[in-house]
Amino acid sequence: MITASDFTLVGATEDDKVRLNQTLAYLQSDPNMAKVVRQAADLKVEIRFSNNSRDGFYDPAGPYIQWDSLNGLHVWDSKGNSGIMSPASVLGHEMAHAADPNFTRNNNQSAALFGYDDYDWMSEVYAIDKIETPFNRKMGEPVRDNHRGEFNTI
């Protein structure tokens, strides 16, 4: 099983490491997400903690993920359903970018050109539709059909 020790951590307190290990165990309870976690570790993705910054993203130049382990993401879908995704699911979403075999191409293609008006880039379609949504459904977390959300302290 992949643990916090398999990543380079920046700005991590001991509590952050505990939360990350709990998060990684949760993510790896799903076989498909476990593959994503393994790919992120194999790619030597650095995890930078940005607690209470209310943001998160993947930067392929590092490669690194900026992750706020203290805030979930309030999401909604086109039918009006809403809920707060866990910080773990947010990390899984960012790891999905790292694992996307076509990230560079996808991150430069406007999703609207392909009929995805509520997404910015095709990289978000991949991360949300292919990785995040199946995981969230299995785990009972909220799902979205867009790339919108607001960070919330949980």
Side-chain angles (χ1 to χ4, degrees):
M1 176 169 291
I2 301 297
T3 67
S5 64
D6 293 298
F7 294 93
T8 299
L9 308 179
V10 175
T13 65
E14 289 305 313
D15 287 344
D16 290 329
K17 292 175 188 176
V18 168
R19 277 191 299 278
L20 179 57
N21 278 321
Q22 292 168 340
T23 292
L24 293 170
Y26 175 69
L27 292 173
Q28 292 174 93
S29 69
D30 173 67
N32 291 326
M33 188 62 86
K35 291 176 189 174
V36 170
V37 171
R38 167 138 326 264
Q39 286 177 298
D42 289 348
L43 291 167
K44 307 283 188 228
V45 173
E46 181 179 276
I47 299 175
R48 298 179 182 181
F49 287 79
S50 62
N51 293 335
N52 289 318
S53 66
R54 297 177 179 252
D55 70 353
F57 57 86
Y58 169 67
D59 185 336
Y64 72 89
I65 292 170
Q66 183 160 311
W67 181 50
D68 183 341
S69 70
L70 300 175
N71 284 274
L73 188 67
H74 180 230
V75 297
W76 51 90
D77 66 17
S78 58
K79 297 175 185 167
N81 301 307
S82 70
I84 298 179
M85 281 177 26
S86 69
S89 186
V90 173
L91 181 61
H93 169 98
E94 300 307 336
M95 286 183 168
H97 288 310
D100 180 351
N102 299 306
F103 179 80
T104 301
R105 183 194 73 204
N106 287 341
N107 205 45
N108 290 300
Q109 290 183 322
S110 171
L113 295 175
F114 296 91
Y116 296 97
D117 294 333
D118 288 328
Y119 295 80
D120 303 308
W121 306 105
M122 289 304 294
S123 59
E124 297 302 343
V125 174
Y126 175 87
I128 293 168
D129 290 3
K130 302 288 186 205
I131 308 297
E132 174 189 306
T133 295
F135 176 78
N136 284 6
R137 279 198 175 114
K138 180 176 182 181
M139 304 307 283
E141 293 207 34
V143 297
R144 55 186 169 163
D145 54 10
N146 56 63
H147 184 234
R148 307 290 175 258
E150 299 171 354
F151 281 91
N152 284 276
T153 302
I154 56 168

